[in-house]
Amino acid sequence: MSRDTQTKLQRLFLEQGQSPWLDNLKRGYLVSGELARMVERGIRGITSNPTIFQKAISAGSEYDKQFEVLTRRHESIDAAYWDLVIVDIEHALQVLRPVYDESAGGDGFVSIELAPGLARDTDGSIEAARDLHRRIAQPNLLVKIPATAEGIPAIRQMISEGRSINITLIFSLERYAEVIEAYLSGLEAYDGDLAPVHSVASFFVSRVDTEVDRRLNAVGTPDALALRGKAAVAQAKLAYQLFRERFSGERWQPLTKRGAKLQRPLWASTSTKNPDYPDTLYVDNLIGPDTVNTMPESTIEAFEDHGRIARTIDEGVEESHDVMAALAAVGVDMKDVGRVLEDEGVASFTKSFDELIETLREKADRLAGTT
């Protein structure tokens, strides 16, 4: 394939070493072959979360036939939900498996998230992650565990058992450092072959600007207002520097000899929330090797249309430090930003999950003729 016939998604990987993933999954993409076509155009993985499945299952009737069968078996609503989701995950894993095989395990992953009610439950997260890995015994599965204080030890435990994990809801550099430590110490504790153990660290981007900009607007000074739209990219660039620092040197090298893979930073929440900002802001400025960018369809389309392909992840690192210092100077506490966004993220996914379960319960009642 010549460069002229390659999509920008394909070039992103071939020229810059960044893997474009799709931040969506729904049954229509699977049964229509649309997901397979996206993979042909350069998509190399999939992320999902409770909000994505809430939208997919609640909209339309694509899941109704299977759900009706499940309710006739007298399954609980929760059990029916997981059966619905796992069918999609298993189908997506099949579609992405050739990418996994061709890349020797470098890509081709599909992520499934734990029930959001477990975000503050270490033991519950450990057992649920084990259960999902047992139920979906595929090498390209990533189980998503949030990077809450309670999630960190669950992440370490799963890695120490040789299970592949996507760590989600990372909003701060401090928490990201804890995630890296959980991965490294988990690898060190595992006594098996490290080659099949995979992990990505999902560092959220656009939501950081949303929260920081809100605080900057409240401050209202010229110095504060001049910083709007700069925090998220600056923090992500510093996260990449932390990634490069921690995955090198005396501690990392012995693990690579045992087959350990890098825990790549995954840029999440990359659709632009503020219409005043460029719609490819969180793609164009975060391109670099050994990273992933998971994008919704609208961001993929915008990037294909007018995105630019160049290594940008380590451009302006000193300026990024300056931005963080300037934010502190006007009173924006980035640690507190991370705490607030983490709480909001858990609450948002919990709300979506609860709404979906209620929708399924109403459908079950209709099918049973009780309403």
Side-chain angles (χ1 to χ4, degrees), residues 271 279 295-303:
S271 61
D279 53 5
M295 299 172 268
E297 296 89 328
S298 58
T299 304
I300 290 171
E301 292 169 4
F303 181 71

Side-chain angles (χ1 to χ4, degrees), residues 36-54:
R37 289 189 286 273
M38 290 184 183
V39 172
E40 289 177 358
R41 295 195 292 268
I43 288 296
R44 299 181 62 82
I46 299 172
T47 49
S48 63
N49 59 49
T51 299
I52 285 172
F53 277 118
Q54 188 268 338

Side-chain angles (χ1 to χ4, degrees), residues 45-252:
I46 299 172
T47 49
S48 63
N49 59 49
T51 299
I52 285 172
F53 277 118
Q54 188 268 338
K55 292 177 181 178
I57 296 174
S58 298
S61 58
E62 292 175 333
Y63 295 84
D64 286 0
K65 185 175 181 179
Q66 183 193 358
F67 182 64
E68 184 174 0
V69 171
L70 293 171
T71 56
R72 285 176 178 171
R73 293 178 186 166
H74 305 291
E75 294 205 15
S76 71
I77 299 301
D78 276 14
Y81 162 79
W82 287 107
D83 284 347
L84 293 174
V85 167
I86 286 173
V87 166
D88 284 0
I89 293 293
E90 289 179 331
H91 193 166
L93 287 165
Q94 292 176 3
V95 175
L96 271 295
R97 183 58 185 268
V99 178
Y100 178 85
D101 291 339
E102 291 163 7
S103 64
D107 267 317
F109 296 101
V110 180
S111 296
I112 182 171
E113 186 151 351
L114 299 183
L118 296 172
R120 307 295 182 186
D121 182 349
T122 300
D123 292 340
S125 294
I126 289 170
E127 186 52 45
R130 283 181 186 143
D131 182 62
L132 285 171
H133 272 293
R134 284 193 294 260
R135 292 184 67 180
I136 314 172
Q138 297 298 325
N140 52 331
L141 175 72
L142 296 176
V143 173
K144 294 176 78 173
I145 299 177
T148 58
E150 299 81 0
I152 295 297
I155 292 159
R156 183 194 182 281
Q157 181 62 35
M158 289 298 94
I159 298 300
S160 75
E161 296 178 11
R163 305 184 191 278
S164 296
I165 301 296
N166 176 342
I167 296 91
T168 188
L169 295 181
I170 306 172
F171 294 100
S172 70
L173 294 171
E174 291 76 18
R175 187 69 89 197
Y176 180 42
E178 294 178 24
V179 167
I180 294 174
E181 175 58 32
Y183 181 61
L184 292 175
S185 60
L187 291 176
E188 289 166 341
Y190 183 50
D191 60 3
D193 180 10
L194 296 181
V197 184
H198 305 283
S199 183
V200 292
S202 295
F203 202 100
F204 281 56
V205 188
S206 67
R207 296 188 196 182
V208 172
D209 271 343
T210 299
E211 175 63 18
V212 170
D213 285 2
R214 183 188 68 78
R215 298 183 184 210
L216 292 171
N217 286 333
V219 174
T221 64
D223 286 348
L225 297 178
L227 293 168
R228 289 178 297 184
K230 296 182 179 180
V233 168
Q235 183 171 244
K237 286 178 181 287
L238 296 181
Y240 186 76
Q241 295 301 306
L242 183 60
F243 159 70
R244 283 302 187 199
E245 173 189 324
R246 295 293 174 87
F247 289 94
S248 63
E250 294 181 359
R251 186 178 185 187
W252 177 242

Side-chain angles (χ1 to χ4, degrees), residues 306-325:
H306 51 268
R308 61 190 181 95
I309 298 176
R311 178 166 176 160
T312 53
I313 189 61
D314 37 23
E315 289 180 351
V317 172
E318 288 305 316
E319 289 86 342
S320 296
H321 283 290
D322 292 342
V323 167
M324 302 303 279

